[in-house]
Amino acid sequence: MKDIRIGHGYDVHALAEGLPLVIGGVKIDHTKGCIAHSDGDVAIHAICDALLGALALGDIGKLFPDTSAEFKGIDSKILLRRVCEVVAEKGYEISNVDCTIAMQRPKLRPHIDTMRATLAAVMNLDVERVSVKATTTEHLGFEGREEGVSVHSVVLLYK
Ligand code: MG
């Protein structure tokens, strides 16, 4: 039997006026963006944590400390590529990735396929193995009040 690993990741960033908004590796036109040490790509951070979680290697903050100047403003795609290298170094392959973005506004639907293609390219996966979904929270909670964005992700690894 194959060695199969499942991993879950969850990330939240607060939104503030006038910051760039980058989700799933895609820059999105909006009046608000994520407050972060890196570029604030909340979807990529959740995916990184899912990959690391599958291998019980801790979390993205352990690998890339937000106290380090090296990672200030960093493109999160670089972090994801590095995490994928760690997965490969451990001898695992990624079967599939799924994530759900909870954000009230703007509508993410028009960006979903670009996010999938972007993430698939970074992770060196067929796009069919990368799922990105978006939901509002019906104006409930911090996402609904447009104070922040949250993303859940799950991944399956095998070797
Ligand atoms: Mg984060």
Side-chain angles (χ1 to χ4, degrees):
M1 184 189 147
K2 280 178 178 167
D3 182 352
I4 297 170
R5 296 292 192 99
I6 192 168
H8 171 261
Y10 174 64
D11 195 32
V12 173
H13 279 267
L15 288 167
E17 294 285 347
L19 293 177
L21 180 65
V22 182
I23 304 181
V26 177
K27 189 162 183 327
I28 295 166
D29 251 355
H30 192 43
T31 55
K32 294 179 174 182
C34 288
I35 300 169
H37 184 70
S38 66
D39 67 358
D41 193 323
V42 60
I44 285 188
H45 297 174
I47 292 169
C48 286
D49 270 3
L51 291 165
L52 294 169
L55 298 177
L57 291 175
D59 59 35
I60 191 174
K62 184 175 164 188
L63 237 69
F64 312 110
D66 65 7
T67 49
S68 165
E70 186 188 349
F71 305 120
K72 184 151 177 52
I74 196 170
D75 179 341
S76 292
K77 294 194 292 298
I78 295 167
L79 307 182
L80 178 57
R81 186 161 291 139
R82 176 68 197 125
V83 169
C84 288
E85 285 167 10
V86 170
V87 170
E89 283 161 15
K90 294 284 180 186
Y92 285 87
E93 292 195 52
I94 300 167
S95 173
N96 72 302
V97 178
D98 186 19
C99 64
T100 302
I101 304 160
M103 188 171 198
Q104 191 63 43
R105 234 173 31 96
K107 281 275 171 242
L108 297 177
R109 174 81 281 178
H111 305 288
I112 292 289
D113 283 341
T114 315
M115 289 181 195
R116 291 179 63 213
T118 302
L119 293 168
V122 173
M123 304 177 80
N124 201 20
L125 290 174
D126 288 343
V127 74
E128 289 75 19
R129 294 181 181 274
V130 180
S131 164
V132 177
K133 311 185 299 301
T135 183
T136 72
T137 57
E138 301 291 345
H139 300 282
L140 296 170
F142 64 85
E143 301 99 328
R145 292 189 299 269
E146 301 181 38
E147 295 168 358
V149 189
S150 67
V151 178
H152 286 270
S153 178
V154 288
V155 303
L156 203 66
L157 309 183
Y158 66 92
K159 72 169 165 185

